[in-house]
């Protein structure tokens, strides 16, 4: 039996939603002290939430929730109050769907649920039918959701049940309070500074907080507190946006403004008031360049000015969004794990909470987004064929075949068969193969995997979104050696021979390794530096509109 991580909340009585010892709000305390209260520990319905201010504009009929609970008497008896409390807090607003499809929280939670069900707890069941439904919903990022559709309503309620089951199974000791859990999924548009203040200033009697079991969350929350103080002091002045190529040794009136800006965020420590680009400023510029993921060359250009001109309040919104994302990662990781952070263009190999090493990657370009999901890497394919996806065959290969009859031969490709009007094409192993010399499979419905590439020059760029959705590795040999280190026959020479044999060979791993594909645009790294990255797919932009009240 796998060892469960840690149990959720405090021990429950038969119909109790939440015990008094974990409560930290007046409502909870008053209800717990009232033995005649029929609504003990049930959050009051928030009627202030409506379609104009809600996170999601979709709403459930409360009777549908009651009916759903009646279909499973055992679950209803144990958890009906918790279930109703969850929806009362959101005025029966959908938690897992918005008008355009699954919410980001639905994707994050379901990935976490599958991971914990596979690796942490035998008590969490995987519903294969629901998994197939979720795979289809994951693959379609822009849907038009109709709440009259019974299929959508049932999926919403099933996910809420999993959310409750998962919570009850995976955490204990009150590190996640019930009312906080109800707000893991945003409820309504709120002022970002107010929301941050609420998060930072909420005190628990038992002095137990979610960040106690999530180090990344804790680090980013601490930075949020620092930026809230910066915002309350007025933030920073906007710098001229026509600055071009300021280098060490130059002087300019704008340099003093740049120094003040870098001193506010701690990239420059000294109170330097000169208008000269000196060594202290160069170190400060390199610090903030690395903070934004640039090559730290010390040159002040328009790109850097554009980023450091982003207002403090906007960065606070960005931090809140990413704190929300961090809730959907394993709280206390164990064993080997691979994490790819899409906006960072980096693959991280970890053992428990410890980072072992990193690798630069290329991810999907806009319009060919790399999907956020989790699965287990269980196969390596040396000298692989590339089975060209039908979308690429249609949009790219067929037009080139039409204009150049010798195109397939020159690209070392062949037609396997004809599937209706569209040929099935694959590229043979060899130096021209788009997958390079090796690929790494973690079976999924999105046809996303890791692979080598002959296009090595892309790894030298700061921005690396160029693929059709799969993830290209800068050093696939290193990853292969790491994954096969416990399979003694796969020595470095054997790996090299297989990569260059020209004959496809599939190797199953003795110990599959979980892979998380994530989307963090801000986080604190191992050196304690707060990082920011571009919102390359517009996910932050979409969430800002849903989560926060408009500025001004």
């Amino acid at each position: 039996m796998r060892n469960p991580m840690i149990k959720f909340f405090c021990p429950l009585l038969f119909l109790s939603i939440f015990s008094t010892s974990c409560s930290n709000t007046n409502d909870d305390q008053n209800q717990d002290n009232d033995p005649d209260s029929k609504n003990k520990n049930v959050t009051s319905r928030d009627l202030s939430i409506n379609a104009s201010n809600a996170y999601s504009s979709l709403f459930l009929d409360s009777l549908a929730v009651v009916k759903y609970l009646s279909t499973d008497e055992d679950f209803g008896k144990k958890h009906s109050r918790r279930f109703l409390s969850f929806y009362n807090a959101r005025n029966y607003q959908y938690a897992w769907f918005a008008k355009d499809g699954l919410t980001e929280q639905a994707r994050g939670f379901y990935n976490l649920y599958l991971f914990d069900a596979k690796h942490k707890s035998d008590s969490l069941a995987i519903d294969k039918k629901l998994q197939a439904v979720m795979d289809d919903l994951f693959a379609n990022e822009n849907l038009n959701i109709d709440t009259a559709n019974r299929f959508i309503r049932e999926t919403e309620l099933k996910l809420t049940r999993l959310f409750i089951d998962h919570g009850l199974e995976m955490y204990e000791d009150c590190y996640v309070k019930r009312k906080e859990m109800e707000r893991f999924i945003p409820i309504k548009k709120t002022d970002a500074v107010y929301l941050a203040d609420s998060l930072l200033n909420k005190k628990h009697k038992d002095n137990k907080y979610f960040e106690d079991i999530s180090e990344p969350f804790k680090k980013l929350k601490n930075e949020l507190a620092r930026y809230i103080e910066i915002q309350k002091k007025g933030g920073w002045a906007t710098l001229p946006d026509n600055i071009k190529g300021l280098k060490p040794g130059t002087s300019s009136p704008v340099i003093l403004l740049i120094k003040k800006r870098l001193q506010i965020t701690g990239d420059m420590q000294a109170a330097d008031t000169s208008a000269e680009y000196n060594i202290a400023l160069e170190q400060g510029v390199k610090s903030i360049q690395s903070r934004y993921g640039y090559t730290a060359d010390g040159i002040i250009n328009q790109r850097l000015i554009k980023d450091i001109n982003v207002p403090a309040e906007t960065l606070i919104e960005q931090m809140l969004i990413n704190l929300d994302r961090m809730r959907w990662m394993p709280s206390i990781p164990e064993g080997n794990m691979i994490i790819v952070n899409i906006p960072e263009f980096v693959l991280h190999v970890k053992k428990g909470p410890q980072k072992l090493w990193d690798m630069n990657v290329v991810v999907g370009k806009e319009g060919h987004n790399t999907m956020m999901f989790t699965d287990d890497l269980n196969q390596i394919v040396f000298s692989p064929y590339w089975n060209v996806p039908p979308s690429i065959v249609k949009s790219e290969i067929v037009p080139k075949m039409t204009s150049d009859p010798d195109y397939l031969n020159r690209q070392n490709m062949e037609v396997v068969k004809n599937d209706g009007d569209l040929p099935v094409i694959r590229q043979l192993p060899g130096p021209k193969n788009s997958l390079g010399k090796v690929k790494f499979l973690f079976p999924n419905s999105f046809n996303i995997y890791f692979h080598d590439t002959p296009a090595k020059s892309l790894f030298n760029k700061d921005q690396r979104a160029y693929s059709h959705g799969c993830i290209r590795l800068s050093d696939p040999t290193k990853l292969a050696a790491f994954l096969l280190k416990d399979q003694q026959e796969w020595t470095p020479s054997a790996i090299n021979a297989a990569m260059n044999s020209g004959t496809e060979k599939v190797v199953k791993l003795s110990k599959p390794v979980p892979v998380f594909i994530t989307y963090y645009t801000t986080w604190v790294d191992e050196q304690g530096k707060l990082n920011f990255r571009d919102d390359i797919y517009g996910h932050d932009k979409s969430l800002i509109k849903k989560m926060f009240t408009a500025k001004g």
Side-chain angles (χ1 to χ4, degrees):
M1 175 182 285
R2 295 186 291 269
N3 292 324
M5 188 161 63
I6 49 177
K7 295 279 185 181
F8 179 66
F9 303 135
C10 295
L12 297 173
L13 296 176
F14 180 64
L15 285 177
S16 172
I17 287 186
F18 196 66
S19 70
T20 317
S21 62
C22 291
S23 172
N24 63 288
T25 65
N26 291 333
D27 285 346
D28 280 346
Q29 292 165 10
N30 291 339
Q31 289 171 358
D32 286 341
N33 292 331
D34 179 6
D36 298 321
S37 174
K38 295 181 180 179
N39 295 316
K40 181 179 178 181
N41 292 317
V42 176
T43 298
S44 300
R45 185 166 182 175
D46 188 347
L47 298 175
S48 71
I49 300 168
N50 54 56
S52 65
N53 65 13
Y55 175 69
S56 170
S57 61
L58 307 180
F59 286 80
L60 285 156
D61 184 337
S62 60
L63 292 177
V65 176
V66 174
K67 183 178 179 181
Y68 175 79
L69 291 171
S70 70
T71 61
D72 188 327
E73 186 176 349
D74 184 56
F75 179 82
K77 281 183 178 180
K78 291 181 179 178
H79 306 307
S80 61
R81 288 181 177 174
R82 190 183 295 274
F83 207 94
L84 294 172
S85 184
F86 176 83
Y87 280 107
N88 274 354
R90 24 191 339 103
N91 199 19
Y92 289 80
Q93 169 197 175
Y94 274 72
W96 311 109
F97 287 93
K99 197 67 178 174
D100 56 354
L102 285 175
T103 61
E104 187 176 299
Q105 290 74 24
R107 296 168 183 271
F109 162 65
Y110 194 67
N111 284 335
L112 177 61
Y113 182 91
L114 290 179
F115 172 81
D116 285 337
K118 291 177 182 178
H119 298 282
K120 297 292 183 180
S121 173
D122 290 328
S123 299
L124 297 176
I126 297 177
D127 183 330
K128 294 297 183 182
K129 290 183 179 179
L130 177 61
Q131 188 173 6
V133 168
M134 293 299 287
D135 284 348
D136 287 342
L137 290 167
F138 266 59
N140 293 279
E141 294 192 278
N142 292 294
L143 298 172
N144 185 18
I145 298 297
D146 180 6
T147 55
N149 186 325
R150 181 174 58 85
F151 157 82
I152 295 296
R153 183 171 62 250
E154 289 181 355
T155 303
E156 162 76 17
L157 296 172
K158 284 180 181 178
L159 286 174
T160 302
R161 174 172 179 164
L162 292 188
F163 183 59
I164 292 172
D165 286 343
H166 177 269
L168 291 168
E169 175 66 15
M170 297 310 299
Y171 302 103
E172 72 173 353
D173 292 340
C174 312
Y175 287 109
V176 182
K177 309 297 189 278
R178 175 182 60 85
K179 289 200 172 185
E180 290 176 331
M181 197 75 176
E182 290 170 0
R183 288 163 176 77
F184 269 22
I185 302 94
I187 293 176
K188 65 179 178 180
K189 297 178 178 68
T190 308
D191 176 75
V193 174
Y194 172 82
L195 185 61
D197 271 334
S198 298
L199 175 64
L200 294 168
N201 296 321
K202 192 165 184 83
K203 302 300 180 186
H204 299 167
K205 283 184 174 182
D206 55 16
N207 203 33
K208 293 180 178 179
Y209 300 88
F210 180 75
E211 56 262 36
D212 296 330
I213 55 172
S214 174
E215 188 66 18
F217 188 96
K218 181 178 183 178
K219 289 179 177 179
L220 187 55
K221 185 178 174 182
N222 289 340
E223 287 296 321
L224 175 66
R226 190 163 69 89
Y227 273 69
I228 282 291
E229 289 305 308
I230 290 173
Q231 169 65 14
K232 289 179 178 180
K233 291 177 181 177
W236 44 74
T238 302
L239 300 173
D241 60 5
N242 59 351
I243 297 172
K244 295 182 180 179
L246 287 177
K247 300 180 180 180
T250 59
S251 295
S252 168
V254 78
I255 285 177
L256 180 57
L257 298 177
I258 294 171
K259 287 181 176 180
K260 288 181 178 178
R261 166 63 178 84
L262 299 189
Q263 287 162 4
I264 290 172
T265 50
D267 292 285
M268 280 189 71
Q269 301 300 324
D272 188 334
T273 58
S274 72
E276 180 187 356
Y277 192 147
N278 52 20
I279 292 175
L281 178 57
E282 182 181 9
Q283 291 173 340
V285 170
K286 288 182 176 180
S287 172
I288 203 161
Q289 284 177 324
S290 65
R291 187 186 301 284
Y292 282 90
Y294 308 158
T295 299
D297 58 12
I299 298 173
I300 302 171
N301 55 27
Q302 287 178 298
R303 177 187 176 190
L304 179 62
I305 296 300
K306 178 183 176 182
D307 279 329
I308 65 178
N309 269 341
V310 173
E313 185 174 357
T314 300
L315 298 183
I316 288 168
E317 291 177 341
Q318 191 175 345
M319 290 185 205
L320 288 167
I321 286 169
N322 285 274
L323 282 167
D324 177 82
R325 289 176 179 141
M326 289 174 182
R327 298 184 191 276
W328 311 118
M329 288 292 288
S331 296
I332 302 178
E334 301 171 0
N336 291 330
M337 182 182 298
I338 295 171
I339 300 172
V340 175
N341 185 22
I342 296 168
E344 187 185 7
F345 311 113
V346 171
L347 176 151
H348 305 276
V349 176
K350 303 186 75 174
K351 184 173 184 179
Q354 177 190 5
K355 186 175 75 173
L356 301 180
W357 45 270
D358 294 339
M359 179 189 300
N360 286 345
V361 299
V362 170
V363 301
K365 57 189 173 183
E366 189 174 3
H368 296 274
N369 296 7
T370 298
M371 193 71 62
M372 292 179 281
F373 69 99
T374 182
D375 220 310
D376 290 346
L377 196 164
N378 60 8
Q379 295 178 49
I380 301 176
V381 183
F382 293 111
S383 297
Y385 285 97
W386 179 38
N387 299 303
V388 185
S391 59
I392 298 178
V393 171
K394 183 178 180 179
S395 64
E396 299 180 27
I397 307 297
V398 169
K400 291 176 181 177
M401 289 169 58
T402 303
S403 61
D404 180 2
D406 196 42
Y407 176 78
L408 290 185
N409 184 53
R410 288 189 295 102
Q411 297 300 318
N412 203 27
M413 291 180 174
E414 64 182 9
V415 175
V416 178
K417 63 179 181 179
N418 284 294
D419 188 5
D421 295 330
L422 197 66
V424 175
I425 294 174
R426 69 179 181 178
Q427 189 175 40
L428 280 64
K432 290 186 177 181
N433 191 287
S434 294
L435 304 185
K437 299 178 180 180
V438 60
K439 68 179 179 179
F440 303 83
L441 302 181
F442 33 105
N444 58 82
S445 301
F446 319 115
N447 198 28
I448 291 176
Y449 45 86
F450 300 150
H451 65 87
D452 182 21
T453 175
K456 303 296 186 183
S457 63
L458 295 177
F459 295 109
N460 297 324
K461 297 179 178 290
D462 290 340
Q463 300 283 321
R464 295 188 292 275
Y466 294 99
S467 81
H468 285 87
C470 287
I471 296 168
R472 305 176 192 174
L473 307 178
S474 59
D475 192 352
T477 305
K478 184 174 184 177
L479 182 60
F482 172 78
L483 294 170
L484 293 169
K485 66 182 186 299
D486 295 327
Q487 294 173 239
Q488 295 180 357
E489 69 274 23
W490 285 104
T491 62
S493 60
I495 290 172
N496 181 65
M499 289 178 68
N500 292 283
S501 70
T503 301
E504 186 175 81
K505 182 175 182 59
V506 179
V507 179
K508 291 187 177 181
L509 299 185
S510 60
K511 295 179 181 178
V513 176
V515 173
F516 276 85
I517 312 296
T518 63
Y519 193 90
Y520 294 123
T521 58
T522 182
W523 70 96
V524 179
D525 63 24
E526 288 75 14
Q527 288 71 47
K529 180 181 284 290
L530 176 63
N531 282 255
F532 294 100
R533 294 295 186 273
D534 287 343
D535 178 24
I536 61 173
Y537 297 158
H539 294 330
D540 284 9
K541 183 179 179 181
S542 174
L543 284 170
I544 284 171
K545 291 178 181 178
K546 293 177 181 179
M547 288 178 61
F548 305 114
T549 51
K551 301 184 187 74

